[in-house]
Amino acid sequence: MQRTKVKDLLSGAAAGQDVLLKGWVRTKRGNKYVNFIAVNDGSTINNIQVVADANNFSEEQLKDVTTGAAVSISGELIASQGKGQAFEVQAKTIEVLGKADPETYPLQKKAHSLEFLREIAHLRFRTNTFGAVFRVRNTLAFAVHKFFNEKGFVYMHTPIITASDAEGAGEMFRVTTLDPVNPPRTENGEVNYEEDFFGKATNLTVSGQLEGELAAMAFSDIYTFGPTFRAENSNTTRHLAEFWMIEPEMAFYDLKMNADLAEEFIKYIIRYALENNREDIEFLGQRLTEEDKAKPQNERQEMTLLEKLEFVVNNDFERVTYTEAIDILLNSNHYKKKKFQYEVSWGIDLQSEHERYLVEKHFKKPVIVTDYPKDIKAFYMRLNDDGKTVAAMDILAPGIGEIVGGSQREERIDILVERMKGVGIHEEDLWWYLDTRRFGGCPHAGFGLGFERMVQFVTGMGNIRDVIPFPRTPQNAEF
């Protein structure tokens, strides 16, 4: 007999038939007449109830059917007699495929803190919360590919190992095969990377953007979706050392077209998750509402998770320039009452508290901020006519701040070379990048969306470490 997933069993399509299900025991309760076993196989947040009649199963046969055990059960799918589920399985055979010692199995029927579950990340998938989070993550990842495929974009795999620093930030992980204790050195005592595997210093990438631009100069519309790495010694709830980025690049796009696409993209993938993972999102929303009850009134969410997501999908994002955003912050009561931790003035890089004020207090919706000062943005962003700002755009979301960063790229080679000099990048290091301006260059634009932050936004999880299976953070590379 072929196994049927719990999700399909609960639809009732096989009612009246003998079925085979395999999964893990969530709970077992009963009396001398009957046992009720809740089984879950990860296909849905809901368990299916298995009824084991004491006339058919001895206590000895059921003693290893404990929380966490893997089981194979055959029986008839029938309409449920009890409350809480429409269908249940009347068991005919029960086989324990893998025992779970109830004395040592860490996931018993009680509430576990998220901090504790991070310590057992290899098992936390089995909880309702993380089952829901990672099913939503899966759906969002599929929706990313679906969106771009429907628009005719080419999916491009850009290098994970790179010799360039796209962001100019310098916070990169070194990739080397040299002896860490006694590396070869040059005459002036520096490490000689010419003797390294690649013949030069290389790192794990912080972005696939520069290579993505090269592909866009041939395919017009491309996107990347892969792992990126940043050696930033940050332990905040918003940062990871290893994370996933979605980076489309589009030839013949200007800044407005870029912002339009990013807004359409965000709405599409959220809508897809709402349509395909509603039960998971409802569960996570209830969890968030319960969490909110413990907070002071002024810190509580004004909308439920479902309301927030539907509001984002159904409303236009607000658009303001950086200069307008600074004016709003300077004129706010929040600023006047000195409630901001960081100073506000034209030229600053907006902090998370500033971004969240704009989104959550002032506009009460996602905001697209454009035209940032050139001195706080990357060298590849197109210089505006005022000479002070660049054609950049960030999308700010409730709860987490920046979720998308993008720009129209600088296609004018003379200005690009000057910008590179200003940040200490040598022309010979990016000769291939400059070639796309020399040979058939054109206006083009792109953006990057941090996938984990999007998963955070859709699931309502407060810590980014809880939306990636195995978080990589300072002092932590467990599992």
Side-chain angles (χ1 to χ4, degrees), residues 406-418:
S407 70
Q408 186 173 335
R409 313 313 190 188
E410 183 57 80
E411 84 281 9
R412 299 163 295 185
I413 191 167
D414 53 338
I415 297 175
L416 181 58
V417 168
E418 279 302 309

Side-chain angles (χ1 to χ4, degrees), residues 3-17:
R3 175 171 79 101
T4 305
K5 292 196 171 184
V6 169
K7 185 176 183 178
D8 297 324
L9 291 173
L10 292 172
S11 74
Q17 300 176 34

Side-chain angles (χ1 to χ4, degrees), residues 172-403:
M172 303 179 78
F173 290 101
R174 180 81 71 203
V175 175
T176 182
T177 58
L178 296 179
D179 184 339
V181 177
N182 189 27
R185 297 190 179 274
T186 61
E187 288 181 2
N188 61 8
E190 295 177 351
V191 175
N192 186 3
Y193 286 105
E194 288 184 7
E195 293 189 30
D196 206 350
F197 186 90
F198 293 107
K200 60 171 69 175
T202 54
N203 311 284
L204 294 178
T205 187
V206 298
S207 168
Q209 180 209 311
L210 300 190
E211 293 87 353
E213 283 188 55
L214 312 184
M217 292 299 103
F219 297 106
S220 293
D221 301 323
I222 69 97
Y223 74 105
T224 76
F225 187 1
T228 50
F229 308 85
R230 190 158 296 175
E232 185 177 0
N233 190 16
S234 174
N235 273 301
T236 76
T237 57
R238 301 169 65 244
H239 290 95
L240 292 166
E242 176 184 286
F243 52 99
W244 286 67
M245 286 285 287
I246 299 141
E247 298 178 289
E249 290 291 329
M250 296 76 62
F252 316 113
Y253 265 55
D254 61 18
L255 185 65
K256 182 182 182 303
M257 296 161 73
N258 194 28
D260 290 345
L261 182 78
E263 180 174 345
E264 182 187 356
F265 170 58
I266 288 171
K267 289 179 175 179
Y268 180 99
I269 62 175
I270 292 175
R271 188 180 295 112
Y272 193 82
L274 286 169
E275 289 169 356
N276 291 276
N277 287 80
R278 197 165 188 92
E279 284 185 329
D280 289 320
I281 293 171
E282 284 174 348
F283 170 81
L284 292 166
Q286 288 165 4
R287 182 194 158 279
L288 196 59
T289 300
E290 287 302 310
E291 207 176 64
D292 252 14
K293 288 178 182 176
K295 296 179 181 177
Q297 189 69 42
N298 64 326
E299 290 179 23
R300 294 180 190 177
Q301 306 282 337
E302 291 185 18
M303 297 182 186
T304 66
L305 181 60
L306 265 176
E307 286 170 345
K308 179 185 78 172
L309 296 176
E310 286 170 346
F311 181 81
V312 168
V313 164
N314 295 323
N315 286 276
D316 292 338
F317 292 6
E318 193 68 40
R319 301 193 187 202
V320 295
T321 66
Y322 169 89
T323 301
E324 290 167 340
I326 291 294
D327 286 343
I328 290 167
L329 292 171
L330 288 172
N331 289 311
S332 68
N333 285 330
H334 218 69
Y335 176 77
K336 291 170 182 174
K337 292 179 179 177
K338 301 188 185 310
K339 289 187 177 179
F340 287 126
Q341 182 182 346
Y342 294 93
E343 187 50 51
V344 178
S345 63
W346 198 95
I348 64 158
D349 205 352
L350 292 176
Q351 298 293 323
S352 179
E353 62 173 347
H354 304 142
E355 295 170 340
R356 290 186 63 176
Y357 177 85
L358 291 168
V359 172
E360 296 166 28
K361 303 294 184 190
H362 188 81
F363 291 112
K364 298 185 185 294
K365 62 163 74 172
V367 178
I368 304 178
V369 181
T370 62
D371 303 301
Y372 283 79
K374 67 180 176 64
D375 294 338
I376 61 170
K377 287 296 182 181
F379 72 92
Y380 50 72
M381 297 186 178
R382 194 180 200 277
L383 192 65
N384 287 331
D385 292 341
D386 62 14
K388 296 191 303 181
T389 61
V390 288
M393 66 104 182
D394 287 348
I395 299 183
L396 314 179
I400 50 177
E402 183 194 336
I403 198 167

Side-chain angles (χ1 to χ4, degrees), residues 125-142:
F125 302 117
R126 299 189 195 181
T127 65
N128 281 340
T129 296
F130 287 98
V133 166
F134 290 110
R135 276 188 297 272
V136 171
R137 183 183 171 110
N138 168 69
T139 296
L140 289 169
F142 180 79

